[in-house]
Amino acid sequence: MPITRRQAIAAGAAVAGQGIVGLPAKAAPPAPRQDVLWYRQPASIWTEALPVGNGRLGAMVFGGTTSERIQLNEDTLWSGGPYDPLNPKAGPQAVEHIRKLIAQRRFAEAEALANDCLIARPVSQMSYQTFGDLFIDMDLPGTPRTYRRELDLDKAIATTHFATSTGTITRAALASPVDQVIAIHLSASHGVTLNLAVRFDTPQDATVRAAGNAIHAEGRNRADHGIPAGLGLAARITASAQGGSVRTEGATLVVSGASHATILVALATSHAGDPVATVARQIANASARPWVALRDAHIAEHRRLYRRAALHLGPASTLPTDERIKANVESDEPALAALYFAYARYLMICSSRPGTQPANLQGIWNESTKPPWGSKYTININTQMNYWLADPANLGECAEPLLRMVRELAVSGAKTARAIYGARGWVAHHNTDLWRASSPIDGAAWGMWPMGGAWLCNALWDRWDYGRDRAWLAAIYPLMRGAAEFFLETLQPSSQGLITSPSISPENRHPFGASVCAGPAMDRQILRDLFDRTAAAATVLDHDADFAEQLRHARSALAPDRIGKAGQLQEWLEDWDEAAPEQDHRHVSHLYALYPGHQINPDGTPELARAARVSLDRRGDESTGWATAWRIALWARLRDGERAHKILRSLLSPARTYPNMFDAHPPFQIDGNFGGSTAIIEMLMQSRGSSLHLLPALPRAWPSGSARGLIARGGVAVDLKWTEGQLVQAVLQPMESGTVEVRLGEIRRTFTLSAGRLVTLKGSTLAIS
């Protein structure tokens, strides 16, 4: 994912013009709660602001006093419109020419030809967009003091509280999944009246006006890379006041003399209907409900998901969250890892709900019209990592948007498969966007990788493996079959077995002046999973027996993983690792088989597991945020809890975690939050098929703790409690009847479980208590 220096600087630059005054350092004494982020001062930059979201709408709350900024997003607001990015020179002849050049080891020529004939036109895809900013300018009596802002993860409400010379003001913000609005409620103590102005600004091509005690914005999205704007958009903002009045002045709403005020924000695009009618309906429905009813319905729906699981690793620090992150560098705070886990679950609920778009590179939160890497769906690791957390963290339905995206991507991917490769089935490369573009983009060094769709299918299989929902399996089977069919037609013979060509090992250059190659390890590993799982799905569903057998045969013919001369797991088909120009490359693509895959493990494939360890050592522990998270999960799979914890601490430092706990790639990418939190689960529990390994990588730094509501493969809910590094109790509750092998250290026991019935195991012996 190439990024320019200008983009990187812009992403980290301070946001000017927020109207935030300096405040005294003194703050109200905080309650040391496990699930609250809190701060002594307003946010001055975007990565200090606090996120709220309902899956479709997102907002970043800065917590200003004299002027509040709330940055707004809607998940279908992207640049451009429907487009066909097929390179006019693309076709099977060009692919075959590139294959021949690769076979002749003329890699740089092959890459140049791929850039000319296969890379999409336009070269880049469309970008996720900010909708704009809501500003609340307040007329306050004197200088604010005794300030505190917080994000309550259990309520999904961001609150700003400060005192004035005559009393206190509290401002609460939420994004309701029930009423489909962003709501901001202001209240003042006795002796204070609320006098404020509400205004809206957008970088989109829209007209903003006020009429009928509401702000209206209507217009179009932005063109991009030569693709014209294809979306209409609308926003409607209203204010109501208790004990005061509301009027319009120009394009501004003015509230005067109120004790309480509620601001409602509705946003929509034409992606799913008439946006003007949509926002009018949403505002009308939400306005009919008092704030308390709107808030309580929101909290109840959020808690339905949020309270399913929890992690406790010790008492929480009384320091503000930003200071806890800084302090964690010198003195480890286990409770900060537990907060990170809770925050990731919160972010998942807020950025990916059934019926919404999937979480993109920034989840649902983005303040730019040209965000880093377009804030797209990067499907050579990042989108998949976004959903690693969903099932084991008991949020399986949050993966539903991914299924719908893959269904849509398979349609465009079928056209790409025919036009570029002359093949049946469907294919997607390393990126996609709202318009489900599937051609290779950016350049051959990044985009000439045909495995994105196959890996997405493996991610969809995980939802089945955890939940065992036959309806889900039936829904994903045609997608898996189409992805597998493409590779059955395009795999190439070699002296070592069947391989892909052309391809790359994601974003890494080999020693011959290019990235384009044949048969990199990751491709073969992903295909083993795809072929195995598609055949297994066919068997479960009693479909396509002949096709399933064809897949099993092709799977057995794939080139095997190989160990190189340095004892490492080879990244490429040939032993090139020693001479590769980036020994510490952020991607560890060839370790897919260790995690998230299960093909390599210390018990079943000890030699390959040792080789994976060598590769990890050579790559180094520290990398970009998401790549650091991946390394933690890999070390956890190798059952090295101390190494995993060491890297986790680096992830939870100011270098990789922003003050608002967003992952710092840098810049912000949400996959690090999701991946790092999934790695925490891997340290506490690992499951494969019908086996469950408890505390496989528990570090000494977490001597005592508990976890509730984790989900193991096979549909088993797991609660854990441990003290002094030893398991005290495990409670299993299966979703369906069956057997499970439970492992604790060297102890292994097999149990027959009945659907819905609790089984409590004593930690020391795994005996049923």
Side-chain angles (χ1 to χ4, degrees):
M1 295 179 296
I3 183 172
T4 67
R5 181 174 180 271
R6 180 176 295 177
Q7 285 176 312
I9 293 171
V15 179
Q18 298 309 307
I20 297 174
V21 300
L23 297 174
K26 183 178 179 181
R33 288 179 50 193
Q34 294 276 2
D35 52 4
V36 172
L37 283 65
W38 78 278
Y39 305 84
R40 303 181 197 270
Q41 67 286 324
S44 59
I45 58 175
W46 191 80
T47 47
E48 294 173 353
L50 296 175
V52 295
N54 69 359
R56 187 182 69 87
L57 300 174
M60 295 292 287
V61 183
F62 281 65
T65 53
T66 55
S67 183
E68 167 68 300
R69 177 193 175 194
I70 300 178
Q71 186 267 315
L72 304 170
N73 289 106
E74 199 272 356
D75 68 350
T76 62
L77 181 53
W78 289 63
S79 62
Y83 68 109
D84 182 357
L86 180 68
N87 188 318
K89 297 181 181 179
Q93 289 183 333
V95 172
E96 188 58 32
H97 191 182
I98 292 166
R99 285 174 181 153
K100 289 179 179 178
L101 291 172
I102 291 170
Q104 296 167 6
R105 304 177 68 83
R106 296 160 64 184
F107 300 107
E109 293 177 62
E111 190 161 301
L113 184 60
N115 280 322
D116 181 48
C117 294
L118 300 187
I119 296 301
R121 299 294 186 265
V123 172
S124 299
Q125 290 174 349
M126 303 300 104
S127 296
Y128 183 53
Q129 300 282 288
T130 179
F131 213 112
D133 295 280
L134 179 77
F135 294 96
I136 305 171
D137 301 318
M138 304 191 69
D139 183 8
L140 300 176
T143 301
R145 58 184 184 274
T146 317
Y147 177 95
R148 177 183 169 114
R149 67 182 173 103
E150 68 174 40
L151 177 62
D152 188 321
L153 304 180
D154 183 53
K155 295 179 178 177
I157 297 177
T159 303
T160 304
H161 181 92
F162 55 90
T164 71
S165 59
T166 58
T168 61
I169 293 174
T170 301
R171 187 169 57 242
L174 59 84
S176 171
V178 178
D179 291 281
Q180 289 298 313
V181 294
I182 294 166
I184 304 101
H185 184 72
L186 299 94
S187 58
S189 67
H190 181 71
V192 183
T193 57
L194 297 172
N195 298 291
L196 55 97
V198 180
R199 53 192 172 90
F200 174 70
D201 184 50
T202 178
Q204 304 301 323
D205 183 15
T207 300
V208 180
R209 60 186 176 85
N213 283 348
I215 296 173
H216 302 257
E218 298 175 19
R220 305 288 295 175
N221 66 331
R222 298 164 63 98
D224 205 2
H225 301 299
I227 304 301
L231 288 171
L233 60 85
R236 184 166 294 188
I237 302 161
T238 63
S240 60
Q242 181 177 330
S245 63
V246 181
R247 68 182 189 277
T248 60
E249 289 185 2
T252 300
L253 299 180
V254 178
V255 176
S256 302
S259 59
H260 299 268
T262 302
I263 301 165
L264 301 178
V265 181
L267 310 170
T269 76
S270 60
H271 190 263
D274 179 353
V276 176
T278 298
V279 297
R281 180 180 67 255
Q282 290 167 344
I283 288 292
N285 292 341
S287 297
R289 295 158 63 87
W291 159 256
V292 172
L294 189 151
R295 178 200 63 194
D296 290 352
H298 157 79
I299 291 173
E301 169 55 22
H302 175 74
R303 284 177 172 170
R304 181 182 67 83
L305 298 174
Y306 181 78
R307 288 191 169 184
R308 289 178 181 173
L311 173 65
H312 297 278
L313 296 174
S317 167
T318 59
L319 290 174
T321 304
D322 50 346
E323 295 180 29
R324 289 173 72 181
I325 295 168
K326 293 177 183 178
N328 197 54
V329 175
E330 300 298 330
S331 178
D332 179 48
E333 183 200 348
L336 186 63
L339 178 63
Y340 196 78
F341 171 77
Y343 187 53
R345 293 187 72 252
Y346 168 86
L347 295 174
M348 173 66 70
I349 296 166
C350 292
S351 64
S352 184
R353 278 177 168 267
T356 73
Q357 294 296 311
N360 60 49
L361 281 176
Q362 296 185 192
I364 196 174
W365 300 278
N366 163 43
E367 68 170 338
S368 176
T369 57
K370 292 191 175 296
W373 303 292
S375 194
K376 296 189 299 294
Y377 301 105
T378 300
I379 55 176
N380 67 8
I381 175 61
N382 311 95
T383 301
Q384 290 87 344
M385 185 181 285
N386 279 359
Y387 286 92
W388 288 354
L389 183 69
D391 281 293
N394 213 334
L395 296 172
E397 62 263 63
C398 291
E400 186 273 344
L402 191 67
L403 170 59
R404 285 186 297 101
M405 183 180 82
V406 177
R407 277 178 170 159
E408 295 162 1
L409 189 57
V411 175
S412 60
K415 297 177 182 178
T416 299
R418 289 193 302 270
I420 295 182
Y421 298 93
R424 294 180 298 168
W426 70 277
V427 64
H429 295 79
H430 93 298
N431 255 294
T432 191
D433 56 17
L434 179 73
W435 311 109
R436 308 310 188 226
S438 55
S439 288
I441 67 159
D442 290 338
W446 302 276
M448 203 60 254
W449 187 70
M451 307 303 300
W455 192 351
L456 287 172
C457 286
N458 286 333
L460 295 179
W461 168 269
D462 281 339
R463 174 85 273 269
W464 151 257
D465 203 19
Y466 279 97
R468 301 300 168 91
D469 180 350
R470 284 180 63 92
W472 178 272
L473 189 65
I476 69 173
Y477 177 71
L479 304 172
M480 299 176 70
R481 191 189 196 286
E485 189 174 46
F486 169 81
F487 288 102
L488 289 180
E489 295 207 353
T490 58
L491 283 170
Q492 302 295 303
S494 77
S495 60
Q496 297 182 33
L498 294 178
I499 58 173
T500 51
S501 182
S503 190
I504 63 170
S505 186
E507 306 193 27
N508 200 6
R509 296 183 74 79
H510 55 66
F512 300 96
S515 296
V516 168
C517 64
M522 186 186 222
D523 291 18
R524 295 176 271 128
Q525 294 167 3
I526 289 174
L527 287 178
R528 286 186 206 117
D529 277 352
L530 178 67
F531 290 171
D532 278 343
R533 293 167 175 181
T534 306
T539 300
V540 171
L541 297 170
D542 195 21
H543 288 339
D544 296 340
D546 290 344
F547 184 70
E549 183 58 32
Q550 188 180 0
L551 290 174
R552 295 186 188 102
H553 177 75
R555 193 261 192 234
S556 66
L558 291 168
D561 289 320
R562 298 171 64 86
I563 298 174
K565 57 180 175 291
Q568 89 287 1
L569 193 69
Q570 286 183 197
E571 183 164 0
W572 292 277
L573 195 62
E574 298 181 61
D575 193 358
W576 293 343
D577 301 56
E578 288 275 282
E582 289 187 67
Q583 293 294 315
D584 60 348
H585 197 269
R586 60 196 177 277
H587 285 257
V588 282
S589 303
H590 54 309
L591 303 185
Y592 166 95
L594 176 62
Y595 189 91
H598 295 270
Q599 298 165 31
I600 295 174
N601 64 80
D603 296 324
T605 57
E607 291 185 359
L608 291 176
R610 285 192 292 271
R613 178 181 289 269
V614 171
S615 291
L616 272 175
D617 276 329
R618 293 166 65 84
R619 269 301 202 263
D621 289 347
E622 295 187 6
S623 189
T624 57
W626 63 265
T628 301
W630 197 358
R631 283 157 170 79
I632 302 167
L634 288 161
W635 282 110
R637 277 284 170 88
L638 291 170
R639 303 174 195 156
D640 191 332
E642 300 311 312
R643 188 72 168 268
H645 179 259
K646 171 181 175 288
I647 304 171
L648 177 64
R649 283 195 61 189
S650 71
L651 184 67
L652 295 178
S653 72
R656 288 292 172 263
T657 296
Y658 287 115
N660 66 357
M661 294 199 81
F662 273 171
D663 170 70
H665 180 288
F668 164 53
Q669 278 189 201
I670 205 167
D671 38 37
N673 291 97
F674 294 142
S677 297
T678 311
I680 290 172
I681 297 177
E682 287 290 318
M683 296 166 73
L684 302 177
M685 179 189 81
Q686 295 176 16
S687 61
R688 178 189 180 192
S690 60
S691 66
L692 172 60
H693 195 166
L694 304 179
L695 304 183
L698 183 70
R700 290 189 297 270
W702 300 346
S704 300
S706 65
R708 174 180 57 80
L710 305 181
I711 304 295
R713 292 174 188 270
V716 180
V718 181
D719 297 349
L720 300 172
K721 183 178 180 181
W722 66 95
T723 301
E724 297 180 352
Q726 300 298 313
L727 183 70
V728 174
Q729 178 178 280
V731 180
L732 311 183
Q733 185 174 15
M735 301 175 192
E736 61 178 24
S737 299
T739 60
V740 61
E741 181 192 69
V742 182
R743 176 177 178 179
L744 176 68
E746 297 305 314
I747 302 173
R748 298 172 188 254
R749 295 198 63 187
T750 300
F751 300 92
T752 299
L753 305 178
S754 298
R757 186 173 180 179
L758 294 177
V759 175
T760 302
L761 307 179
K762 293 180 180 179
S764 57
T765 62
L766 290 183
I768 296 177
S769 62

